[in-house]
Amino acid sequence: MPRPTALILILAGLCASSLGQYNEEEDLAWLQYYLRQSRASSYNYVPYYEEESPAYAYSYPSATDTEPEPEPEPQQAAPWRCPQECDCPPNFSSAMYCDTRNLRYLPFVPSRMKYVYFQNNLVTSIQEGAFDNATELEWLALHNNQISSEKMGKKVFGKLQRLERLYMNNNNLTRLPSPLPRSLRELHLSYNQISKVPPNALEGLENLTALYLSHNFIFEMGASLKGLKSLILADLSYNNLRKVPDGLPASLEQLYLEYNYINAIPDEYFQVSPRLLYVRMSHNSLTNQGLSSNTFNSSSILELDLSYNRLQKIPRVNTNLENLYLQGNQINEFSISSFCSVVDVVNYSRLQVLRLDGNAIKRNAVPPDAPLCLRRATVIEI
């Protein structure tokens, strides 16, 4: 029979052996879990547009007391990898964010990219072939840089046959980029130094729905809009136009021409655009001599802004018009025939808002049949 001391030693040895085996298995499971966690990272992405702050953020597992894994040896960058100057979200692999980084050049764009953001930098030039590798691009944001027309490759967008949106507003462009991909749907060129739009500058852009050319120095558009069969919105405000563009597309719904020097509009000018809803021509030089009796007699127009011009009489408008802005002109009479050719129970204007303040009309000059003609008006300011 073993002695008590020897029995205690034997039991202690067995317990130590069992405990050692348990700790070894637990350590192995914990190590495997740690290795999995140390290789994982999470990425939260929320889309943002232009001047909003990027909404993406990285988060990593908290540090532990254990020794980190050795870093891999540096390898040569492959063409599909993200440039070190940019961020490419792991769960949005077709987007590349290079915005607001004080970049003075355009980094290499991997071929898989569809959405690339270079806005809010110091880029002054785009070298020839800069996007030749990225033929899948659909969105290209280059706004708020210092790009000039003289420092752009002649065919820099030539191979981007899937590009839908091009943002180049707030740069130093003196002419429209050309040639442009026929796939374009939106072209943003506001706040540049463009002075002329050649007749063929927008040729072939049959998919273009929105054209933004405001805040430039354009003095002539010619018939450059006529071939844009899908155009819905044309913003030509804040330019030096002396005349309206020749020939509007039939698809047009919104036309913005405010803050120019236009003094006349051809007869039935808006009739070729049966879908036109909004026309804004405030702060021009329009006179009644430069308008015909049918200039604004378009049944589709719902909002017409002619404020701050040189009109002396209220122009004739269609009875379907809902909002008419004429403040800041030289109008001295209230002509009910401008709104209703016939005044009775059946014939009346759909006008809801009428602004005539800042003119020479006296309040007692409103004709007695005005309430019958303008029965739907909720705001009339004189």
Side-chain angles (χ1 to χ4, degrees), residues 278-296:
Y278 307 101
V279 176
R280 297 179 183 173
M281 299 192 67
S282 67
H283 296 88
N284 274 278
S285 303
L286 291 173
T287 65
N288 290 96
Q289 290 73 28
L291 304 176
S292 73
S293 59
N294 290 316
T295 299
F296 300 113

Side-chain angles (χ1 to χ4, degrees), residues 31-251:
L31 179 61
Q32 290 174 346
Y33 171 79
Y34 171 76
L35 291 177
R36 285 197 302 269
Q37 289 296 103
S38 65
R39 293 190 182 99
S41 63
S42 61
Y43 186 93
N44 299 318
Y45 171 76
V46 178
Y48 73 100
Y49 175 76
E50 291 195 355
E51 297 183 359
E52 295 183 8
S53 300
Y56 47 84
Y58 289 94
S59 62
Y60 297 93
S62 58
T64 63
D65 295 333
T66 59
E67 296 255 346
E69 290 186 90
E71 296 183 2
E73 294 293 327
Q75 299 178 0
Q76 186 176 0
W80 53 268
R81 290 190 177 178
C82 187
Q84 61 181 359
E85 303 92 340
C86 309
D87 288 330
C88 303
N91 62 339
F92 194 23
S93 60
S94 58
M96 186 170 84
Y97 293 88
C98 312
D99 53 299
T100 320
R101 294 157 198 260
N102 292 322
L103 295 180
R104 298 179 181 273
Y105 61 93
L106 296 181
F108 174 80
V109 181
S111 58
R112 74 178 186 274
M113 294 303 171
K114 294 183 179 180
Y115 313 95
V116 176
Y117 302 90
F118 289 119
Q119 72 268 25
N120 304 325
N121 281 296
L122 303 172
V123 178
T124 59
S125 63
I126 304 178
Q127 63 274 22
E128 193 71 70
F131 306 113
D132 284 3
N133 183 64
T135 56
E136 302 294 316
L137 275 182
E138 296 179 12
W139 287 38
L140 179 56
L142 292 161
H143 50 285
N144 296 329
N145 276 283
Q146 301 173 16
I147 302 169
S148 63
S149 298
E150 293 72 23
K151 294 184 179 181
M152 281 183 59
K154 293 182 179 180
K155 297 182 180 180
V156 72
F157 304 119
K159 294 187 178 180
L160 303 182
Q161 298 306 311
R162 297 189 179 183
L163 191 65
E164 294 185 357
R165 291 172 174 84
L166 176 60
Y167 299 87
M168 294 197 72
N169 39 301
N170 289 91
N171 276 284
N172 298 326
L173 300 178
T174 53
R175 59 179 180 269
L176 268 68
S178 181
L180 290 167
R182 294 174 178 263
S183 55
L184 269 185
R185 296 178 60 85
E186 291 185 15
L187 179 58
H188 298 254
L189 294 171
S190 299
Y191 292 94
N192 276 283
Q193 302 171 22
I194 301 169
S195 59
K196 187 177 181 181
V197 180
N200 60 345
L202 302 170
E203 188 176 2
L205 301 184
E206 296 185 358
N207 295 308
L208 194 68
T209 59
L211 174 63
Y212 298 90
L213 280 169
S214 68
H215 294 88
N216 277 282
F217 302 102
I218 301 170
F219 62 88
E220 184 178 357
M221 287 291 297
S224 56
L225 301 182
K226 192 172 184 179
L228 305 178
K229 298 181 179 180
S230 302
L231 192 66
I232 294 176
L233 183 153
D235 187 355
L236 306 173
S237 58
Y238 292 88
N239 276 288
N240 295 330
L241 292 173
R242 261 65 180 177
K243 56 180 296 189
V244 292
D246 296 331
L248 297 178
S251 58

